[in-house]
Amino acid sequence: MTEQVRTRIAPSPTGPPHVGTAYMALFNLAFARRHEGRMILRIEDTDQLRSTPESEEAILQALSWLGIEWDEGPDCGGEYGPYRQSERTALYQAEVQRLIDQGHAYLCFCSAERLEQLRKEQMANKETPRYDGHCLSLTPEEVEERKNRGDPYVVRLKVPDEGECRFTDELRGEISIQWSQIDHQIIQKSDGFPTYHLANVVDDHLMKISHVIRGEEWISSTPKHILLYEYLGWSAPVFTHLPLLRNPDKSKLSKRKNPTSITYYQDSGFLPEAMLNYLGMMGYTLPDQREIFSLNEFCETFEIKRVSLGGPIFDLDKLKWVNGRYLRENLTPEEVLQRLVEWKGGPSFFSQVIPLALPRLETFSDFFPLSQFLLNENPLYPFDELVGKQEPREVARLLKIAEWELEKVDSWDRDSLASVFQILAETESKKLKELLTPFFVCITGSKVSLPLFDGMALLGADLSRSRIRKALQLLAENDAGLSKKGLKSLEKEYRQSYGKRID
RNA sequence: GUCCCGUUCGUCUAGUCAGGUCAGGACACCGGGUUUUCAUCCCGGCAACAGGGGUUCGAAUCCCCUACGGGACGCCA
């Protein structure tokens, strides 16, 4: 008899919870439920630099908000834990050692500079960039010596030079990729941590994952995984690569172009069940073509073969329509009231706003006009108000710089925001008051409002960013936007004055 | 640049595996009706098989080529 179906989602806690994660989670969950299996949540935090506990917490919370439940995970435990890769390093190191001992992997001492150089040359020669096997020629004695000397090293996977890797994707059929296209993948970094590829394969095996359902972006590295399974003497799971969610311009859904954080949708007033319903119709239709369905209905009727392969564009209009139907058809007015209060209609929210509004109040009726921007998804304002007395292009420039600077803020509170704008004012040699005017308008929709930094803190990072983006759009529509060229030179200027941009 | 994956209305998609009804539904948009406004709701309209070549009595469906789109090519995942 076949083994139990076990699927997993493996988010990396390196940023805000992404809708793509929720999308993958939904399909993994549905497949597991449909086949009376289990879904595992595993935290892939092998990137020591970028992973944070806050982000992990946020991901767990966002998925729970959506109603996605996992059977095993770092919070609820399970038979195959720990479920956080940073707590499993010994396991990986043992397997890496086994691979080295069996001659399937080797130590590499090459410098970043040499690798960079090599990559450049290969690109120039129209070849696929690939490690040239330089350190493969080291004798065991040399390796031992350099290792003892304390030279930093990584461990690479030995990949055949000829032939091809064939594997089956449940949706796409047979895929074959020449081994010569596959790099000698680093499986252990110089900090001793495994890379994704190694950790992923080891964990999927140890956690008895039967079906790997993941994004299309992984197709080209699947041969590395297949090879690892072979070398380690394990049988590989069934692979299914789902299409990627797209921006309206068809590129992979990204926060630069779209709100991608689950908390954005939460903060701007969407219902979790509507959100999940909408994600369920991306690349998929139920057998009876229903458009409104519960998570249970989705899971009970789920057939993975019905997934369609074209990358679906995330369409806010349709999401809103779905959400509207839930509000009107699936909830009673009492329930709506309750959900509204849970959202931003209750004391927990208003008690934060009152102190900010109070100095500006004469009567109660002053309160809502002042705080409406916190509840309004998209406050509107005229172009002239945004620009004020400043040069429109200068406003665009400041907004763009602020957008980049705000990406660096990791704790979104009043003080951090204040310091961002102070730095901005200093660097631009502008008075803070003058600098802030367009930001007041784009965040609150008005020149007269609550204190900006508190307001932004309350609004949250995602909503604030999207408003700056909308202001930039408005400027562009009025021929005051940044041209492609202007953007490039601004980026250069920005790097010099403010340092590197981060993702 | 190299490799891989994809391609049905503007968008999400049904139909493709087992070739044969005017290519169906939904969002958006447009028009009409209900409604003291608006919204909801109801009715109607617009609108697609990327292109070319095969196979076949017959192709959205099977095969090949081209174009276009996307992804991967990190000591990120």
Side-chain angles (χ1 to χ4, degrees):
Chain A
M1 191 48 212
T2 50
E3 288 169 48
Q4 189 192 31
V5 165
R6 290 171 61 85
T7 63
R8 48 67 166 181
I9 43 168
S12 169
T14 55
H18 198 279
V19 290
T21 307
Y23 181 56
M24 293 304 155
L26 174 61
F27 283 75
N28 273 278
L29 179 65
F31 186 81
R33 289 261 186 286
R34 177 65 208 280
H35 298 280
E36 282 136 26
R38 313 189 89 188
M39 180 176 79
I40 286 79
L41 172 69
R42 181 173 70 223
I43 297 294
E44 308 233 323
D45 56 350
T46 54
D47 186 340
Q48 285 290 278
L49 254 98
R50 298 198 299 157
S51 300
T52 65
E54 292 75 27
S55 170
E56 176 186 321
E57 178 59 29
I59 291 169
L60 262 58
Q61 251 179 31
L63 292 174
S64 304
W65 175 71
L66 283 169
I68 286 175
E69 292 173 336
W70 47 93
D71 301 299
E72 299 166 27
D75 56 333
C76 56
E79 219 181 315
Y80 303 92
Y83 292 92
R84 207 174 273 119
Q85 290 188 330
S86 58
E87 293 165 16
R88 301 170 64 83
T89 43
L91 254 26
Y92 309 127
Q93 275 160 0
E95 298 305 338
V96 168
Q97 194 53 53
R98 196 151 72 86
L99 287 166
I100 296 172
D101 293 344
Q102 294 172 353
H104 295 313
Y106 60 96
L107 275 57
C108 169
F109 298 89
C110 289
S111 68
E113 294 74 44
R114 192 183 106 77
L115 296 173
E116 180 64 23
Q117 181 66 27
L118 181 67
R119 200 169 302 141
K120 265 188 192 157
E121 280 170 23
Q122 289 171 326
M123 288 280 230
N125 287 337
K126 305 189 177 189
E127 292 163 23
T128 299
R130 186 181 196 244
Y131 184 65
D132 61 356
H134 183 261
C135 288
L136 213 41
S137 58
L138 260 37
T139 64
E141 292 73 32
E142 284 173 314
V143 168
E144 212 37 46
E145 192 197 319
R146 295 192 65 170
K147 204 174 149 185
N148 292 337
R149 207 201 297 164
D151 285 2
Y153 67 89
V154 299
V155 180
R156 284 181 186 276
L157 189 65
K158 249 187 228 176
V159 176
D161 291 321
E162 288 174 356
E164 63 180 9
C165 176
R166 284 162 173 274
F167 62 95
T168 303
D169 177 287
E170 276 298 279
L171 256 22
R172 296 160 208 264
E174 191 166 89
I175 296 175
S176 57
I177 298 175
Q178 295 290 322
W179 285 119
S180 60
Q181 293 295 325
I182 308 297
D183 198 6
H184 288 204
Q185 184 60 46
I186 293 176
I187 54 174
Q188 183 175 296
K189 309 177 224 179
S190 53
D191 64 4
F193 273 77
T195 56
Y196 167 85
H197 305 282
L198 190 276
N200 195 263
V201 166
V202 170
D203 283 346
D204 282 347
H205 172 75
L206 293 178
M207 296 182 181
K208 296 200 158 54
I209 302 303
S210 61
H211 297 255
V212 168
I213 302 167
R214 48 154 48 157
E216 192 177 5
E217 55 198 338
W218 295 109
I219 293 178
S220 33
S221 37
T222 303
K224 294 168 188 175
H225 306 161
I226 303 260
L227 195 59
L228 277 167
Y229 281 106
E230 262 176 41
Y231 284 165
L232 291 166
W234 300 333
S235 59
V238 175
F239 289 103
T240 307
H241 293 93
L242 263 26
L244 258 22
L245 261 24
R246 312 279 189 96
N247 297 311
D249 69 359
K250 301 203 173 188
S251 56
K252 173 163 97 165
L253 193 65
S254 67
K255 73 171 179 190
R256 285 277 162 76
K257 297 175 179 171
N258 250 317
T260 56
S261 151
I262 297 166
T263 49
Y264 172 90
Y265 297 92
Q266 187 175 5
D267 290 346
S268 48
F270 288 89
L271 295 167
E273 59 268 45
M275 188 77 197
L276 214 50
N277 186 148
Y278 178 67
L279 287 174
M281 56 202 252
M282 301 265 72
Y284 189 78
T285 22
L286 301 219
D288 65 2
Q289 295 231 60
R290 247 178 308 178
E291 293 212 284
I292 301 296
F293 45 83
S294 68
L295 177 58
N296 270 343
E297 291 170 316
F298 183 75
C299 292
E300 278 163 15
T301 58
F302 187 71
E303 290 170 36
I304 200 153
K305 297 266 189 197
R306 291 188 62 84
V307 172
S308 62
L309 263 16
I313 292 171
F314 194 88
D315 179 20
L316 214 53
D317 277 332
K318 190 138 190 185
L319 171 59
K320 283 186 182 175
W321 172 78
V322 172
N323 202 74
R325 286 197 58 176
Y326 271 84
L327 238 23
R328 277 176 260 116
E329 296 170 20
N330 289 30
L331 298 175
T332 63
E334 292 74 31
E335 286 167 330
V336 172
L337 170 61
Q338 189 197 330
R339 303 285 287 263
L340 180 68
V341 167
E342 280 165 16
W343 179 60
K344 289 181 185 176
S348 62
F349 178 74
F350 282 119
S351 64
Q352 294 178 277
V353 188
I354 296 284
L356 305 174
L358 199 46
R360 298 163 176 82
L361 294 188
E362 290 182 317
T363 66
F364 289 145
S365 66
D366 295 332
F367 179 76
F368 286 98
L370 274 171
S371 47
Q372 61 85 20
F373 74 95
L374 293 165
L375 301 161
N376 185 339
E377 193 210 349
N378 185 25
L380 295 174
Y381 46 83
F383 171 74
D384 293 340
E385 195 150 317
L386 176 66
V387 172
K389 289 173 190 153
Q390 302 198 63
E391 177 63 33
R393 281 180 205 285
E394 176 60 10
V395 172
R397 192 177 148 269
L398 292 172
L399 286 168
K400 198 72 207 177
I401 292 175
E403 190 190 353
W404 290 335
E405 275 295 273
L406 289 170
E407 281 171 15
K408 295 181 182 167
V409 174
D410 40 30
S411 122
W412 193 266
D413 53 51
R414 195 186 76 139
D415 294 342
S416 323
L417 292 167
S419 74
V420 166
F421 283 96
Q422 247 134 35
I423 290 169
L424 204 67
E426 276 166 39
T427 317
E428 300 297 322
S429 352
K430 276 190 167 46
K431 282 190 193 146
L432 192 61
K433 189 180 169 178
E434 181 195 359
L435 173 84
L436 254 27
T437 310
F439 291 95
F440 263 102
V441 176
C442 84
I443 296 291
T444 72
S446 164
K447 281 186 286 195
V448 183
S449 185
L450 303 182
L452 183 64
F453 308 141
D454 296 277
M456 288 176 71
L458 236 41
L459 246 196
D462 304 312
L463 242 33
S464 303
R465 284 199 190 105
S466 111
R467 285 183 194 187
I468 292 178
R469 218 172 17 235
K470 288 210 167 100
L472 250 7
Q473 245 169 47
L474 180 66
L475 287 163
E477 283 161 17
N478 285 273
D479 286 320
L482 296 155
S483 63
K484 264 193 189 135
K485 235 178 169 176
L487 195 63
K488 253 198 169 145
S489 74
L490 181 59
E491 229 181 317
K492 204 168 163 189
E493 179 201 324
Y494 173 81
R495 262 200 305 275
Q496 282 167 0
S497 319
Y498 296 86
K500 241 175 79 179
R501 279 178 62 187
I502 54 160
D503 282 308

